[in-house]
Amino acid sequence: MTRFSPAVSGVISRVTEAALGPYQTAVIRIGFGATWLLFLLRELPHRHELYGPDGPWSWDLAQQLVASNGSFTVLMWSDGRVWFEIVYALAVLFSALLTLGWRTRTMSVLFMVGVLSLQNRSVFMGDGGDNVLHLMSIYLVFTRCAQVWSLDARRAARERAARERGERVHDRTGPALWGALGLVLVAVTLAGRMQGDWLIPALLWTVWAVQGLWWLVGRRARTGEPRIMLDVVANIVHNGALLVIMAEACLIYATAGWYKIQGSRWQDGTAVYYPLHLEYFSPWPGLADLLSASGTMVMLVTYGTVLVQVAFPFTLFNRRVKNVLLAVMMTEHAVIAVVLGLPFFSLAMIAADAVFLPTGFLRRLGDRVARARDRLPRRGGRAPVPGPRAHESPETTHVGFGA
């Protein structure tokens, strides 16, 4: 029993002392935020038909469905066109701010509200990537995904430098945002709008209360122990959510692969041929004809797709093989985006795959982007975006309303 004690202690320390995967969670935040933002901007001319009052899925049908399954959507609070425009515009804004990493803790919650509100309003609008985005928007709420590559990390660096110079740092935006959202939650709850399933309303109230507690401890606690305890809890929640995200990605590929194995077209090696010749999935007919001209190539791609999807969860135990299959899957999704005309499905899956990218690769990628940014002409000086410290993150350096 004693031989396992050091190993168990090491695991507990690793899980509680730091939020793991800071670069991976940052890529997930940027990936899903940008995917939803680009989708909303592309569909801006068609927003009324997709999610609004002019859609085939009428407001009455949506209201009946929401009443039966208890799903959450603020678009059911009113059937007016003005309310829809407000919700859509806010969804665009929250997606942009989450991608940039501004007040990320709050924006992750509001991003989730925007995703659920639009998707649950018209449940038949989507191509598979919407289901991934739907789940990941909830998981992101539990992560500390602004430790690097975010405006929150930049602000935390400036505040840390100011404290080292002996200056006092005051955050007025965070408390103001917290108070305004609290008033909205109170008003909506008293108005009886938080009907249906209890999960999302409970999550909204819990995050709001925890944000207030975080600020109160940071300002009023006489010792560092309460803040350390909150950090430990936040790290545990983050690491648990990161594990769930990884398990979800593996489950998606495993189930997709095993279901494909049961299909006769996948068994005889011709399944890839058929979507290439569907008009709906053929934005480039000439390219589709070129790819499907060789029966051997179609067979290899068909069997290779099944093999990669089924095998991927098992390759996590071998880093080199995992990285190879990860590159293959990302390339496959990029090809799907171009050949089948499914860019947002592919972006969502690539963003989910990013949780398995090696930290060294992401650091090198970030360094190259930073060097390219530094070569651009700019006004004034900028503080560099810092990497995470072993025992410190943006959440531990300010009052907690951001990251």
Side-chain angles (χ1 to χ4, degrees):
M1 187 69 180
T2 56
R3 77 172 68 175
F4 298 106
S5 297
V8 173
S9 300
V11 171
I12 294 176
S13 298
R14 184 171 175 79
V15 171
T16 59
E17 289 182 357
L20 303 177
Y23 293 95
Q24 287 81 359
T25 51
V27 171
I28 292 174
R29 184 199 82 234
I30 295 170
F32 284 107
T35 298
W36 186 237
L37 174 63
L38 293 174
F39 174 79
L40 294 179
L41 292 177
R42 191 195 73 167
E43 300 299 343
L44 191 64
H46 314 292
R47 63 190 183 279
H48 296 129
E49 291 77 14
L50 286 176
Y51 302 111
D54 299 335
W57 190 253
S58 67
W59 191 82
D60 291 334
L61 290 175
Q63 191 176 40
Q64 294 177 33
L65 181 62
V66 168
S68 63
N69 62 16
S71 57
F72 176 85
T73 170
V74 301
L75 286 177
M76 289 295 97
W77 295 356
S78 172
D79 61 347
R81 187 176 294 268
V82 174
W83 175 242
F84 168 77
E85 298 290 358
I86 292 173
V87 172
Y88 198 94
L90 289 177
V92 171
L93 176 63
F94 298 152
S95 301
L97 293 178
L98 178 71
T99 304
L100 295 174
W102 184 83
R103 305 289 168 174
T104 311
R105 178 65 66 206
T106 301
M107 288 306 118
S108 65
V109 177
L110 297 178
F111 173 77
M112 176 193 70
V113 171
V115 171
L116 297 184
S117 295
L118 291 172
Q119 290 190 353
N120 289 337
R121 166 63 178 83
S122 297
V123 295
F124 297 109
M125 300 298 176
D127 52 18
D130 57 312
N131 294 326
V132 179
L133 184 64
H134 189 108
L135 294 172
M136 295 300 177
S137 68
I138 299 175
Y139 300 153
L140 275 175
V141 175
F142 299 95
T143 64
R144 309 179 84 169
C145 54
Q147 298 176 96
V148 296
W149 301 342
S150 68
L151 296 179
D152 286 340
R154 186 185 298 274
R155 186 179 69 252
R158 291 197 299 263
E159 292 178 357
R160 185 166 54 247
R163 289 192 182 94
E164 292 174 354
R165 295 191 301 268
E167 301 175 7
R168 298 188 64 182
V169 178
H170 298 284
D171 180 19
R172 296 181 176 86
T173 304
L177 188 60
W178 180 82
L181 293 176
L183 291 177
V184 172
L185 273 177
V186 171
V188 168
T189 302
L190 293 179
R193 299 295 187 180
M194 292 292 192
Q195 298 177 351
D197 190 77
W198 60 270
L199 177 61
I200 300 302
L203 180 58
L204 296 176
W205 275 110
T206 300
V207 173
W208 182 81
V210 169
Q211 291 290 84
L213 176 63
W214 200 288
W215 178 85
L216 185 63
V217 168
R219 290 293 298 272
R220 303 299 182 186
R222 297 182 179 180
T223 63
E225 285 79 4
R227 189 56 179 264
I228 294 175
M229 179 58 68
L230 289 179
D231 255 335
V232 169
V233 174
N235 290 336
I236 293 173
V237 172
H238 165 93
N239 295 330
L242 183 60
L243 179 62
V244 170
I245 291 173
M246 297 172 69
E248 186 72 42
C250 290
L251 185 63
I252 290 173
Y253 284 117
T255 54
W258 286 109
Y259 273 111
K260 285 182 175 66
I261 289 177
Q262 302 175 40
S264 59
R265 293 293 178 263
W266 291 97
Q267 293 174 7
D268 61 26
T270 61
V272 171
Y273 176 85
Y274 297 98
L276 292 174
H277 292 276
L278 292 176
E279 183 178 357
Y280 183 79
F281 294 111
S282 298
W284 313 99
L287 181 59
D289 292 338
L290 178 64
L291 293 176
S292 60
S294 171
T296 302
M297 180 62 66
V298 170
M299 182 187 66
L300 290 176
V301 173
T302 301
Y303 288 151
T305 299
V306 176
L307 178 63
V308 168
Q309 291 183 347
V310 173
F312 178 73
F314 302 100
T315 65
L316 299 181
F317 301 101
N318 188 302
R319 182 177 301 179
R320 293 182 178 179
V321 178
K322 181 264 295 183
N323 291 339
V324 171
L325 288 189
L326 190 61
V328 171
M329 290 193 301
M330 288 186 167
T331 302
E332 180 184 17
H333 288 305
V335 172
I336 290 174
V338 176
V339 177
L340 299 183
L342 297 172
F344 300 107
F345 164 78
S346 297
L347 284 175
M349 292 307 304
I350 290 174
D353 294 342
V355 72
F356 300 106
L357 288 174
T359 300
F361 168 78
L362 293 176
R363 284 179 175 173
R364 291 192 296 271
L365 179 63
D367 292 340
R368 291 181 181 178
V369 172
R371 287 196 295 268
R373 180 200 61 196
D374 292 338
R375 295 192 189 101
L376 298 176
R378 57 185 181 182
R379 298 179 180 178
R382 293 183 180 179
V385 176
R389 295 184 178 183
H391 303 286
E392 188 174 345
S393 64
E395 294 95 328
T396 65
T397 54
H398 58 81
V399 298
F401 290 91

